[in-house]
Amino acid sequence: MDIVVGIDIGGTKTKIGLVDKNGKCHIKTFFRTREFPDLDDYLDKIKSVSDELIENLDEKINILGCGIGAPNASSKKGTIESASNLIWKGSVPILEKLKERMNMPMRIMNDASAAALGEMLFGGGKKMTDFIVITLGTGFGAGIVANGQLIDGYDGFAGELGHVDMTIGDGRLTGLGVRGGLEAYVSATGLKRTIMYMLSKYLVDSKFRSIAYNDLHGEDITKAAEDGDEIAQRAFDYTAKMMAQALANFTAFTQPEAFILMGGLTNSGKWIMDPLEKYFNEYLLDVYKGKVKLLESGMDGKTAAICGAAALIWEVEKP
């Protein structure tokens, strides 16, 4: 069986799995990224974990290569450039150094763009030529497919839509220091910050008045909304409205058939999706109304990032 190693490098976790041509992840694991502040130690860990997964898979396999998704990754340079949520700063030559340890074909790409490739090969984008994947995790990422091609950009950094300024004046700072940038409002982190904003704006009772910011978690906000907490419900509405405005604006660039949403924030279900649908259709230009779908990822949420990374190799090795 032909297999690709898929690696998703995140600020908190590094996820690694073995993925077949159909996008099935046969075995996977993770380790904590921040436990390896030395890059060489980190890459040694990737090598040992990958070898262990290969050894533990019961079937006889042929490794075709390794695909890597990472924040601020340049597919053209093979580097990670000044990622705000990673511990290694500056330009990190990750592909060059990892190839010294793992002798196989290897590609790296921005994680949201890799996710878009994954959707195109394995998920909801299989029958589409124009769609945009939105990743809603700690930050806000975007992978853009137009005319059947991934938009990678001159230097491999296309799709940084999370750092588009959505405000006028004194807006919040994104991880890259963009004041008023979208991800500071529409992301798991942005939702937490909006809870704090709503607590200061409205004097209603809320469970969050006794919870510190660092103790806030997305699932707690969803549960509170379900329990009727007005602050939680207002926070979701505010987040959805900001995202709807952004997606309506992005529609004017490439006129996608769909936005495919993935990541932790989508786990909030109707609390984010229902107001998003409502506001999105209000903000769209008339020429686009009724033509753009809002979908959740067609890949398994637990392995979507790994399969997206593996798609970098499967795109080249199409069976």
Side-chain angles (χ1 to χ4, degrees):
M1 178 174 59
D2 290 336
I3 281 289
V4 169
V5 180
I7 301 174
D8 174 58
I9 299 176
T12 303
K13 295 179 181 179
T14 295
K15 303 173 185 176
I16 304 177
L18 304 182
V19 181
D20 69 17
K21 65 181 180 181
N22 298 313
K24 178 182 177 182
C25 184
H26 289 260
I27 187 171
K28 69 183 191 304
T29 190
F30 75 90
F31 62 89
R32 300 205 172 273
T33 308
R34 291 185 178 273
E35 290 181 1
F36 298 89
D38 181 85
L39 180 63
D40 287 316
D41 290 343
Y42 174 75
L43 297 177
D44 288 341
K45 179 66 173 178
I46 285 181
K47 170 68 163 64
S48 65
V49 168
S50 300
D51 288 345
E52 185 176 343
L53 288 179
I54 293 168
E55 290 171 9
N56 288 339
L57 197 61
D58 292 334
E59 302 178 56
K60 184 178 180 181
I61 60 174
N62 173 43
I63 301 295
L64 296 179
C66 174
I68 305 164
N72 286 61
S74 170
S75 60
K76 307 295 174 65
K77 296 181 178 180
T79 57
I80 296 175
E81 302 284 335
S82 303
S84 60
N85 62 340
L86 294 180
I87 45 184
W88 320 290
K89 301 306 177 185
S91 181
V92 182
I94 194 157
L95 209 62
E96 174 188 340
K97 284 181 168 289
L98 192 56
K99 280 182 176 179
E100 294 172 359
R101 294 163 169 83
M102 298 169 66
N103 184 24
M104 62 181 70
M106 198 173 290
R107 295 180 70 196
I108 190 170
M109 188 174 282
N110 176 276
D111 46 6
S113 293
L117 275 182
E119 291 291 343
M120 187 160 35
L121 293 184
F122 310 130
K126 278 184 180 179
K127 297 181 180 179
M128 297 184 197
T129 57
D130 296 84
F131 64 91
I132 298 176
V133 167
I134 302 295
T135 59
L136 299 167
T138 305
F140 180 109
I144 304 166
V145 174
N147 297 329
Q149 299 291 321
L150 181 75
I151 305 300
D152 198 19
Y154 165 73
D155 203 19
F157 291 109
E160 289 292 346
L161 301 182
H163 300 284
V164 172
D165 188 350
M166 293 297 295
T167 66
I168 297 174
D170 189 24
R172 299 174 187 170
L173 288 172
T174 72
L176 293 182
V178 177
R179 187 166 296 284
L182 181 61
E183 76 165 21
Y185 300 85
V186 183
S187 61
T189 308
L191 180 64
K192 289 171 57 175
R193 294 165 76 175
T194 297
I195 287 287
M196 296 296 133
Y197 166 68
M198 291 297 170
L199 287 172
S200 66
K201 186 175 182 180
Y202 299 100
L203 299 180
V204 296
D205 290 337
S206 170
K207 65 175 291 185
F208 299 114
R209 295 199 181 278
S210 59
I211 299 177
Y213 176 84
N214 287 337
D215 294 327
L216 263 179
H217 301 286
E219 55 268 26
D220 297 329
I221 301 174
T222 302
K223 177 66 165 57
E226 291 171 350
D227 291 342
D229 190 294
E230 184 178 339
I231 293 296
Q233 293 175 357
R234 286 183 178 275
F236 277 120
D237 189 79
Y238 181 91
T239 302
K241 189 172 186 179
M242 184 74 81
M243 177 157 53
Q245 183 180 359
L247 298 189
N249 287 341
F250 300 156
T251 298
F253 287 116
T254 61
Q255 195 195 353
E257 178 181 347
F259 287 95
I260 300 176
L261 310 180
M262 60 193 303
L265 193 53
T266 59
N267 295 334
S268 299
K270 69 175 185 178
W271 297 105
I272 193 72
M273 295 303 295
D274 287 358
L276 177 61
E277 287 269 7
K278 180 185 75 169
Y279 290 125
F280 181 59
N281 288 305
E282 287 179 11
Y283 285 129
L284 277 177
L285 292 174
D286 286 344
V287 70
Y288 302 131
K289 287 185 185 296
K291 300 177 183 178
V292 188
K293 299 186 283 277
L294 298 176
L295 305 174
E296 293 189 44
S297 174
M299 298 189 291
D300 179 357
K302 294 180 180 178
T303 60
I306 292 171
C307 293
L312 296 176
I313 301 299
W314 279 121
E315 182 198 25
V316 178
E317 300 285 346
K318 289 177 182 175

